Amino acid sequence: MAEFRSCLRYLLYKIVLILVLTNIRCSCKEQKYAAKLELDNLARYHNYTELTQLLNLYEISYPSIAQLKTAGKSVQERELWYMKITSNVTETTPGKPMFKYVANMHGNEAVGREMLVLLIDYLLRNYESDQRIKDLVDYTDIYIMPSMNPDGFEVSIEGNSNKPPGRNNANDVDLNRDFPDQFDKKKYTSLQSMLVDRQPETQNMMEWILSNHFVLSANLHGGSVVASYPYDDRFDRMDAASPAPDQNLFVYLAHLYSNEHKTMHLGKHCLDEESGFKDGITNGAQWYDVPGGMQDFNYLHSNCFEITLELSCLKRPPHEQLNTEWENNREALLAYIEQVHIGITGFVTDAKTSEPISAAQINVDGISHTVASDSYGAFWRLLLNGTYTVTVSHASYQPVTKRDIHVWSGFPATMVDFQLLRDIDKTTPVAVSSAPTTMTPGSGAEISFLEPTTFQHHDYEQLKTFLMETAARCSSIMRLYSIGQSVSGRELYVMEVSNNVGVHEPGEPEFKYVGNMHGNEVVGREMLVLLLQLLCDNYGKNDRLSHLVDTTHIHIMPSMNPDGYEKAVEGDKRSTVGRNNSNDVDLNRNFPRRFPSRGNEARQPEVLAVMRWTQSLPFVLSANLHGGSLVANYPYDDTKDGRQVYSTAPDDVVFRHLADVYSFHHPRMHLGRSCDIGHGLLNEKFVNGTTNGAFWYVVAGGMQDWNYVYMNCFELTIEMGCTKFPYAAELQTYWQENEQSLISYIEEAHKGVRGFVLAEGSGMALEGAIIHVHTIDKDVSSAKDGDYWRLLVPGAYKITAMLDGYNVETHDVTVIDGVAAVLNFSLTRDPIRWLQSYDFDLAANLRADYVDDLGAAMLLLQEQYQGLVTVVELGKTAGGKSINGIELSTPQQGVTTKARVGLIGQMHPEQLIGPEMLIRLTRHLAEGVHQNDERIGKIFDTTNIHIIPSVYGDGVTMANEGDCSGRNYTGQQPLYGKLESEFAALDNSLQKHQLHFALSVESSGLGAGYAAATTLEDALLLRELAGSYEGAHPDMSSNGTCDESHAAGSTDSAMFSSYTDYAYDNYGTLMVSMAIDCCSFPPRLRLAPLWMDNLEPMLRFIEKAQQGVRGIVLNENSQLLSSNTTMLKITGPNNTLDVPMNGAEFLRILPRGHYTVTASSHGYDSLSKKTSVVEHAMSMLQLELDLEVEQIVYHDYEQISELLHELQKSHPHISKVYSVGKSVQQKEILAFEIGKSVGVRLPGIPSISFVAGLHGNEVVGREILLQFVQHLLKNYNKDDTIKEVGGRFYLVGSVGLHTVGGRAVTSDAAGGRAVTSDAAGGQASTSDAAGGQASTSGDADS
């Protein structure tokens, strides 16, 4: 049995190893503290890995002006990296022109690739020191793509030759002949039709170009030295000039680059170019015909003007030449970027509403080439100096012409705006700020969105697969998470969409969509699937959607009722089949009601999950998507007496505006027509397609009202159509009708008033401040970062901010129809109010005096709070004073195994601030328990607190109050060794209590110090511990520092880090030393302010004991397993940690992150559970171990077949048995597949094959695989490691294989690859294109 267990563990180990290896990614950001930018080493060729690392490092080093993104992938899955360089790089500034450089389109033409690397370096390094560079970066969105053909570069050859290896992509296609050509005979009606049969690199570039409003560009090549301009080809394919409408402008641009280049303007460089190029420029077609080139595509199909720059005679010259090439090109590269600012620029807006008009056509008289405005209404039109007549037109507006527009040489561009009147004769409505989704080649119109092309219903498994694949595909902006489970155990998935997923960004509103609350109302579910696809496909390519993602935290829940959906029937118009959850409860009647007296049902799991989710984030705006009618419904839904009347919410005018936004962006909803007979409620008509909820019909316990009444969140209910479960063929129409409404509604989260509530002086964020708008009886509150949002319609308002413990503050503000007005509040603290609100009105804690007798003060607290406060003597000081400790615990409450936290004062004898703070903290904690305070009670339920107010107490008589530098201290500084009685007392306490973490309260500075941890997990936890204190401290959170007059002298706490190291090295205690005041011995008048500043930080530090993993280990009969035989390990991102057991219980304080907890015990199968640790929350686990198999018997062929079929029958969703062929004796060669989608090959999921029985007399492997299969199936839903393996791999075991003619062959049905074994050589292997590999080998005598 021991041998079998070893084999089984080995197999699991191999799978997990493959799992890890398959998921390794280059994470250059993790190297940011080790890597350095080496100037001397830049002038060389960088392969793909080196380029990736370098670009990541630039982004990390210059985060405010550099952002690394990808336009897609090459044939061989290499990223097409580009660097965006501009000020405020994560934001979109309307009116700022976009410029791009693209190089290495031909993989062996590599000079441009390295010139752009050097250009990136030059722009970033000189931003702060060179005004020219600063202006260029501040006023231009610069995009630099060093390599469009990374696959080709990898096979190119450096040297004095222009041989072709690497010119083409990995499919051997010339990318500069692969773009749509103006003279081919194909007619394109959409972007999708243009992409057909193109190479991946070409497709990605086309989407990137067409989804952005680039103004000017250059494509860097090699093999000559010349600037080439459009057109590149002619209708007759002759090598003759082919001028573009902007011929003069292109000639100017080519001349500019050539003249600024140190040698290009000379016109003759390369041996095979006898005639050379006059002035170093040429028309592309006149040089040679290039059909399907990128240069012409930019000009014909987008707003972008592009030329091609040939930089060197040799395509990939020796790297020693690169410095010379940089000197030749540097000024030209910079000067060319500056040309993006010539010509005219401005905005096109609606003359009445001032809303931007996108896709307006800008036409210059005499030049037959138009450009279009972007989603902000901004446009740029490059022009040479002169006087022009410009006409702007749009399909839904009357054209406007402006004459005598003067353009001067150079820049800045001439500003000219256009206001268009809507044409009342136009019958087709155009949504404000929207844009067409398709284009005709050559029109110059914006392709705004890359639209979804597949419209289908998704059941639970299909929805889960879609969400997982989309989250993986767009991992830079999407994060999939679950907020809980339905009654039937289905996950309630939410997709977060943001440019910074996983964290709330201060000042950025949180928005949510919830669909499918009623399981048979499915349109919202599928619209949210399509919305996710739209955001994923268009981020970084469309200005409007990119801006939306960059400035909003969007959370999308496609299905709140997945159980009900599984019962619903396609084609259902108005039934209730599937409407309720699995407990037959209507979820939209199950939320807390406005009027509790009208009753409430027990909360359903789905409702509780949504409530917890909504409470966890500062949501501003939301919509709940339903079906069965066509209307935007707003609060209130309920009335006090249940009568059907208009139930006016305090923000009725805001809700009516929000409803209008959705309705009027919908082509039919705003018409207010009722559903046809048999659909919806009969005879229903809605003015403007909107209705007050209770005026339509009363809903008590609805989610809409709960969001508004109990949260900060404004929510509407959108009825999306008269049919509840329409046929899939109708979904495209639903999408076309709702797309603009869904997008425009999200944008409303940015209206009204927003700002921060901060503490006066320190600037510390104030959470929970009430924001009250006078005359509106609905308040909102500030979030944890002090940020708040208050939706309002345009008008003048008086707004007050108030918070317990602070004085109120009121301001006037004017809200306009546009982005939210910014109104910040700085509240001053009122000590009396603060004491009442935060410190149980303990007047002693605001005493402006130091404690005279520390020992007496401790004994008094013990007497006042008997049973809670215990004073113990730990030892004596050198001067004979008692060193006392305080033990605070409530053993009768909470969990058995509690965290142990220590707080220590006066580790430096001259610093008396520690004893004062800790005595006051003891009083606060004890009084909190006495008053049954919920927060303090939770602390003591989970934590035992050990306080040593003073260690080196002899310093009291030798320190001088008001001595901020500590230089007047007359005593000796401690050595922090066991020979000192004080340190020996501390050591005894550390040894006895084995503290999980501790805090040393100090002065002479502001901020934390801590030990150098030996594991990443401990290092992260120390950082979080320090951060929990600093983040809640008013001065530390605002990066306050000490001035020179308060600079620490001999008492600088940085000199005394040895005791933090000692505690960690000897007892594993994570100790943080926290300097809380710049003055070593603050004057007594500072004590009250210091206490008010430090109470909350100390509490938050202690509350870190509530963060980690806690659990119990049991056997299969739920009996406790002994700690003598049980081992508990926790595997984090970098290390596996041994966790001591306390009986059958375990506890480990951990930093935030994902962990695997593995329990093993003698005679039992090990068990692994995955868990996530989030801030201030303890993950609770119960691990039940099964007994190991005691005996294994041999199986003959029939028994194997019967066993495998029985296993499939009992585990139908995750297993499949099938035959891969027959032996010589016509016996089936059976294979058994395990995975989350057996029989279906999902993209990106590799296969692993295990094969046994190659030699008929070698049967041990066969039995091991049979047992292995049973082990996996038995634990699939119990052991998270096994489940993860089964979800990310196909495990295929062939257990009945016999040799045939010295060779054996089977196939992997999941992976489609053959497994071939040579009986003589004893080798068998299989591999899958997705990356999975496994192998077996024969015996020594094979």
Side-chain angles (χ1 to χ4, degrees), residues 1200-1317:
I1200 291 174
S1201 177
E1202 181 181 358
L1203 174 61
L1204 293 181
H1205 283 91
E1206 281 297 321
L1207 289 172
Q1208 176 186 276
K1209 184 177 179 181
S1210 59
H1211 301 87
H1213 300 299
I1214 59 171
S1215 66
K1216 178 183 179 182
V1217 61
Y1218 57 92
S1219 172
V1220 298
K1222 293 186 177 181
S1223 68
V1224 171
Q1225 297 178 358
Q1226 297 301 300
K1227 291 184 177 180
E1228 301 289 349
I1229 303 174
L1230 298 177
F1232 196 86
E1233 180 181 332
I1234 301 173
K1236 68 173 183 178
S1237 302
V1238 289
V1240 179
R1241 180 72 172 94
L1242 294 178
I1245 299 184
S1247 302
I1248 304 174
S1249 292
F1250 294 95
V1251 181
L1254 292 172
H1255 296 149
N1257 63 336
E1258 298 172 3
V1259 296
V1260 173
R1262 182 172 70 180
E1263 298 303 333
I1264 287 177
L1265 279 191
L1266 283 173
Q1267 193 62 40
F1268 184 48
V1269 165
Q1270 294 175 79
H1271 178 79
L1272 293 177
L1273 293 176
K1274 175 185 176 183
N1275 292 284
Y1276 189 86
N1277 289 314
K1278 183 176 182 180
D1279 190 300
D1280 289 340
T1281 298
I1282 291 175
K1283 189 170 185 178
E1284 181 182 37
V1285 170
R1288 299 171 72 175
F1289 288 87
Y1290 297 99
L1291 303 174
V1292 184
S1294 182
V1295 296
L1297 191 62
H1298 296 273
T1299 59
V1300 182
R1303 295 186 64 80
V1305 180
T1306 184
S1307 66
D1308 175 355
R1313 296 296 300 273
V1315 182
T1316 302
S1317 173

Side-chain angles (χ1 to χ4, degrees), residues 604-622:
Q604 295 299 298
E606 297 90 344
V607 170
L608 288 172
V610 169
M611 289 174 63
R612 287 192 296 266
W613 174 46
T614 306
Q615 291 162 347
S616 70
L617 290 165
F619 286 111
V620 178
L621 182 60
S622 173

Side-chain angles (χ1 to χ4, degrees), residues 532-552:
L532 285 170
Q533 187 175 335
L534 184 81
L535 296 174
C536 177
D537 290 342
N538 286 274
Y539 183 74
K541 300 170 184 175
N542 173 270
D543 287 344
R544 183 185 181 195
L545 296 182
S546 298
H547 179 72
L548 194 63
V549 172
D550 287 344
T551 58
T552 321

Side-chain angles (χ1 to χ4, degrees), residues 71 80-82 101-103 116 143-148 205 208:
L80 305 183
W81 294 119
Y82 66 87
Y101 272 132
V102 177
L116 293 190
Y143 295 77
I144 299 177
M145 179 182 285
S147 181
M148 181 183 159
M205 290 301 293
W208 188 47

